[in-house]
Amino acid sequence: MKKPETILGYPVIRCDRKTVGIRVKPGGLVEIRMPKRLPLSYGEAFVKEKADWIKKAVENSPPPKEELSKEEQKRLRMLAKELLPPLTEAWASRMGVRPAGIRITSAKTRYGSCSAKGNLCFSLYLMRSPAEAVEYVVVHELCHLKHLNHSKAFWEEVARCLPDYNERKKKLI
């Protein structure tokens, strides 16, 4: 069995990416993500260069999220299916966009996503956040139907729809 790779004690995850990335998960868990064929020495140099950033990110990371029971997940999924489609449709109409579809997922690392084909996904865990934070995520994903990136134009569109989006974003649980 192959020994897991590490850099300065952090686990290395080899994946289909072009650059080295550092991910700090809730609870301060650090992962190094690297292209499959990149020598470990390149990743090590990058991690050493970013040591101060890693330290700050670990200190500021939120506590790990509690695991929910199957019943609680089912309750949140039902609530999401009830609330998110009408909220999404209302905002889509107001913004002049039309999502290709809406799905509820059990994603734990992102509250929402938008595919290149215009399909929106929302995590059932979003339902633990206050209504104004939920609305922010819906608007954020709908803005991706106009700008499939996080460019300046994208953020201007979010701000046009929700001038207080930064305050709402901070309320996500």
Side-chain angles (χ1 to χ4, degrees):
M1 187 169 147
K2 187 177 170 185
K3 183 181 176 193
E5 291 181 300
T6 62
I7 295 176
L8 303 177
Y10 304 128
V12 173
I13 297 170
R14 298 287 188 158
C15 51
D16 293 326
R17 57 180 296 141
K18 296 186 184 332
T19 60
V20 178
I22 301 168
R23 184 178 193 180
V24 179
K25 294 174 138 185
L29 298 172
V30 178
E31 291 178 346
I32 311 302
R33 296 180 168 267
M34 291 179 56
K36 291 177 181 172
R37 299 188 191 274
L38 190 71
L40 214 51
S41 59
Y42 284 89
E44 190 170 328
F46 182 77
V47 170
K48 285 179 180 176
E49 179 184 317
K50 299 294 183 184
D52 290 339
W53 180 89
I54 293 170
K55 183 179 179 197
K56 285 180 188 166
V58 167
E59 289 170 357
N60 295 324
S61 70
K65 291 186 178 166
E66 69 200 57
E67 286 296 317
L68 297 180
S69 69
K70 294 283 186 204
E71 294 79 29
E72 184 66 9
Q73 288 180 31
K74 189 175 181 180
R75 186 187 72 75
L76 289 176
R77 184 178 300 278
M78 287 173 51
L79 185 61
K81 284 181 176 181
E82 180 184 324
L83 297 177
L84 290 174
L87 180 62
T88 303
E89 288 301 319
W91 271 103
S93 176
R94 192 179 307 171
M95 295 168 64
V97 296
R98 187 130 200 89
I102 300 169
R103 284 187 32 231
I104 306 302
T105 70
S106 56
K108 292 181 180 177
T109 57
R110 61 176 63 179
Y111 288 119
S113 64
C114 177
S115 75
K117 293 181 178 180
N119 291 304
L120 303 184
C121 291
F122 296 104
S123 172
L124 61 90
Y125 294 99
L126 178 58
M127 295 294 92
R128 299 190 301 180
S129 295
E132 59 268 25
V134 172
E135 192 171 35
Y136 157 72
V137 172
V138 168
V139 169
H140 179 112
E141 297 311 329
L142 287 169
C143 285
H144 280 309
L145 296 175
K146 292 184 176 185
H147 307 279
L148 197 56
N149 53 41
H150 287 113
S151 64
K152 183 179 179 194
F154 167 83
W155 288 110
E156 287 171 351
E157 183 69 20
V158 173
R160 188 183 66 71
C161 296
L162 291 174
D164 65 340
Y165 78 90
N166 267 324
E167 306 312 310
R168 293 169 179 252
K169 187 176 180 181
K170 290 175 187 172
K171 294 179 180 181
L172 287 167
I173 295 174

